[in-house]
Amino acid sequence: MGSDARRRRAVLISLLTISLGACGSGIEPAGEAARRIDRLTTTMFWLGLIPMVVVVGIIVAIVLWRRRHRSPVTERHFVMGGGVVFSILLLVPVIVLTAVTQLNLGIDGDDRLEIEITGHQWWWDIRYVTDDGMVRTANELHVPTDTPIDLRLTSADVIHSVWIPELHGKIDLIPDQVNTLEIHVDEPGVYEGNCAEFCGIAHALMRLLVVAHPPAEFETWLAEETAPPQVDVDIATMQEFANSCAPCHTVRGLFDDHAYEGDFGPDLTHLASRRMIGANILPNTPEALARWIVDPEGAKPGNRMPDVGLDAEELTQILDLLRQLDGHG
Ligand code: CUA
């Protein structure tokens, strides 16, 4: 293919991509902050597009006019009018609108729910402080709708960034610092988020699911999540779990002894009730769990979980125990 044909094809593909992008990404704001950001983005889009069309029109008109007449518009007029005055008239409203939107991204309201989220390479640690103590989960953030929520964000290692486009803009999770993201979710549903700051090899596989419930249903979820799961396994399985999994993972209430509560990896207390595993990159099925345990590096390259070398019988025992970590009706 000649270079002209290649160039034409590249232009065509770009135009097609842009037009398809304009058809809408399917992401609709599902919360107050996201709605404000969406309004600002739409305004900025039109503030960019309309002047662009006008400017291109003026340039074409001048070119055509100058072919036949001596133009009354000099270069000086063009530079001062188009480059300076016009730009100021356009950019000042954009700056003001952006500043006003940023200052108004907070969510008002008393009776706020506070949730602590800590970014790790490459998963999300989530904690709720309740009257009955602390509830810890991972990678699946359950929230009530119609409630002002403060997400208190920090990091255990490097800088991460959380972005749930339907709910809010991005915000960094920084070690030794707590940033707050105020969200308000309109409707029950599942919203997808991701880490939005390059944080190492598995950065793109550090996903977050937000599951929004009606307030009463959320209270039930939290109460169930607070209770330890009912596990019925033999002593050999408990021993295997204590040796192979507990050094890094906690299952609240599984052991009387807090010595078996590792916190290097995600809390597994109600693992069986979660939709996905591996920070939401694999479905939560026995097959995917087995694959994750036997070949963590293959399932999620770079991740910190070692292959603990289980034989077939030990794997069956561990899978049986993990399957029982439910506790949600
Ligand atoms: Cu965490 Cu990128």
Side-chain angles (χ1 to χ4, degrees), residues 7-20:
R7 206 170 300 139
R8 266 200 300 276
R9 198 181 63 170
V11 169
L12 251 171
I13 291 173
S14 311
L15 286 175
L16 196 66
T17 312
I18 294 167
S19 1
L20 287 178

Side-chain angles (χ1 to χ4, degrees), residues 120 122 124 159-161 195-199 203 206:
H120 291 253
W122 289 272
W124 310 90
I159 298 178
H160 303 271
S161 174
C195 182
E197 174 84 33
F198 181 71
C199 56
H203 153 70
M206 184 173 168

Side-chain angles (χ1 to χ4, degrees), residues 104-125:
N104 284 297
L105 282 180
I107 304 294
D108 296 334
D110 303 325
D111 213 4
R112 312 177 73 84
L113 174 68
E114 194 173 302
I115 306 172
E116 296 168 11
I117 302 183
T118 304
H120 291 253
Q121 287 174 315
W122 289 272
W123 58 280
W124 310 90
D125 186 27

